[in-house]
């Protein structure tokens, strides 16, 4: 089935979306809520297919999720279809470190009304639910978090940071180097298979909700709603199936869940 905006909107729970800032914010939030961040394929030893038809089948029709190269590739198609000018950027993940590693994260810069916005529906639990304005050190409250993007002279990167009780926590840095399809293909391969990356050896999930989120890392599930948090351990296949299908609303079949559950037990 070719790309179809009406079908995509139905998948993420929107009726329409205007090509303005309000629409951009609505779009990012809706996609993160409906299409979870997850790494089922890399955790299962597979390299995700980034072909447009394959992504459409997996993320929209089969109602599964994916990691950044999958979900943000779909988002890029939507930005183009809606008429949002956009530029792909490959980021270096920092997660608290002073410097990042290889360029292993895909996001977008969208110019609107004289400003630029970082748009990202594929980073997972630490990431903002809405686009972040690329403005020097400007603090931006988004839901119950505060973010900023600062420019770093030493690396030539803009750095996305989240405010914590102990200071600013750098998530990732990005520059404006031209990004080709071949760069994304290579980064996807490295992220899926390299033991130096976190995706092949760890199982991760994240889905935004109206008043909180679901998250998961290697058997530890968490639900936050209206500021209240509950954590629990998932070890059995039946528990994982319930979490994936009911809490995350993922459309994976039982055979795939069985493979994931078997691999997950090796981490305990």
């Amino acid at each position: 089935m070719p790309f179809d905006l009406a079908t995509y909107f139905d998948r993420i729970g929107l009726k329409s979306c205007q090509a303005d800032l309000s629409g951009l914010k609505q779009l990012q939030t809706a996609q993160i809520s409906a299409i979870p961040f997850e790494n089922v394929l890399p955790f299962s030893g597979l390299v995700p297919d980034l072909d447009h038809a394959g992504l459409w089948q997996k993320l929209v029709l089969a109602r599964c999720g994916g990691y950044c190269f999958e979900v943000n590739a779909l988002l890029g198609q939507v930005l183009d279809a809606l008429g949002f000018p956009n530029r792909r950027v490959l980021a270096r993940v920092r997660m608290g470190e002073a410097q990042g590693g290889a360029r292993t994260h895909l996001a977008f810069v969208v110019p609107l009304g004289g400003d630029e916005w970082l748009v990202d529906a594929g980073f997972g639990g630490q990431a903002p639910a809405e686009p972040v304005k690329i403005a020097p050190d400007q603090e931006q409250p988004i839901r119950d978090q505060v973010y900023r993007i600062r420019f770093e002279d030493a690396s030539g990167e803009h750095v996305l940071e989240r405010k914590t009780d102990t200071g600013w926590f750098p998530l990732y840095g990005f520059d404006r180097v031209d990004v080709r399809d071949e760069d994304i293909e290579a980064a996807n391969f490295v992220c899926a298979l390299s033991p130096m990356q976190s995706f092949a050896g760890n199982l991760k999930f994240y889905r935004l909700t109206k008043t909180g989120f679901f998250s998961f890392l290697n058997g530890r599930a968490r639900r936050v709603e209206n500021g209240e948090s509950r954590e629990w351990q998932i070890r059995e296949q039946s528990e994982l199936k319930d979490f994936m299908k009911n809490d995350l609303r993922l459309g994976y079949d039982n055979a795939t869940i069985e493979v994931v559950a078997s691999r997950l037990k090796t981490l305990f």
Side-chain angles (χ1 to χ4, degrees), residues 14 19 45 85 110-111 129 143 148 160 186 197 224 232 252 262 266 268:
L14 292 181
V110 174
R143 290 207 173 192
R148 73 178 183 183
L160 172 66
Q197 300 297 319
V224 174
W232 69 101
Y252 284 108
S262 296
T266 67
F268 299 141

Side-chain angles (χ1 to χ4, degrees), residues 54-74:
L55 289 175
W56 182 260
Q57 174 63 38
K58 182 191 178 192
L59 303 180
V60 179
L61 301 184
R63 306 185 75 82
C64 296
Y67 69 174
C68 71
F69 298 113
E70 299 172 280
V71 295
N72 276 341
L74 177 65

Side-chain angles (χ1 to χ4, degrees), residues 15-267:
K15 292 184 179 180
S16 63
C17 179
Q18 299 298 313
D20 55 22
L21 180 57
S22 176
L24 188 64
K25 292 180 177 181
Q26 186 181 36
L27 179 66
Q28 179 168 315
T29 300
Q31 178 164 316
I32 298 173
S33 300
I35 305 179
F37 174 90
E38 48 97 338
N39 66 315
V40 164
L41 295 186
F43 188 70
S44 303
L46 303 173
V47 178
D49 179 8
L50 301 186
D51 176 79
H52 285 185
L55 289 175
W56 182 260
Q57 174 63 38
K58 182 191 178 192
L59 303 180
V60 179
L61 301 184
R63 306 185 75 82
C64 296
Y67 69 174
C68 71
F69 298 113
E70 299 172 280
V71 295
N72 276 341
L74 177 65
L75 182 61
Q77 294 181 59
V78 178
L79 293 173
D80 290 339
L82 290 172
F84 282 104
N86 63 88
R87 177 174 182 168
R88 297 183 297 188
V89 294
L90 278 175
R92 302 181 189 272
V93 176
R94 298 194 179 193
M95 292 302 291
E97 299 296 329
Q99 295 181 346
R103 292 184 174 92
T104 56
H105 179 65
L106 175 66
F108 297 92
V109 171
V110 174
L112 280 177
D115 295 315
E116 289 186 316
W117 297 83
L118 177 66
V119 178
D120 186 357
F123 193 68
Q126 301 269 5
E130 298 178 356
V132 181
K133 185 178 179 181
I134 302 175
D137 299 327
Q138 180 178 319
E139 296 190 14
Q140 300 170 60
I142 298 176
R143 290 207 173 192
D144 59 345
Q145 302 291 329
V146 177
Y147 298 88
R148 73 178 183 183
I149 295 177
R150 65 176 176 85
F151 183 75
E152 186 177 77
D153 289 325
S155 64
E157 294 179 348
H158 285 92
V159 183
L160 172 66
E161 297 181 319
R162 183 174 64 88
K163 196 172 189 178
T164 71
D165 293 338
T166 58
W168 288 99
F169 185 89
L171 299 175
Y172 60 77
F174 63 94
D175 53 29
R176 305 307 177 90
V177 172
D178 183 52
V179 176
R180 302 179 181 179
D181 291 343
E182 293 84 356
D183 298 323
I184 295 175
E185 179 182 359
N188 178 48
F189 187 86
V190 168
C191 282
L193 298 182
S194 172
M196 301 300 292
Q197 300 297 319
S198 64
F199 298 107
N202 300 276
L203 183 60
K204 308 177 185 183
F205 296 111
Y206 180 81
R207 182 176 77 82
L208 198 66
T209 66
K210 288 185 178 181
T211 58
F213 61 85
F214 286 99
S215 65
F216 178 100
L217 176 62
N218 294 341
R220 174 60 88 184
R222 185 184 183 202
R223 180 180 183 179
V224 174
E225 289 294 337
N226 296 311
E228 296 186 0
S229 178
R230 179 174 76 92
E231 295 189 12
W232 69 101
Q233 191 73 27
I234 292 177
R235 293 182 178 271
E236 300 302 322
Q237 180 178 326
S238 59
E239 297 172 321
L240 183 63
K241 178 180 177 181
D242 179 71
F243 183 73
M244 290 177 66
K245 288 187 172 291
N246 297 327
D247 294 328
L248 301 176
R249 302 174 185 174
L250 291 170
Y252 284 108
D253 58 28
N254 292 339
T256 299
I257 295 175
E258 181 178 359
V259 170
V260 174
S262 296
R263 175 79 201 288
L264 181 63
K265 285 188 176 183
T266 67
L267 302 183

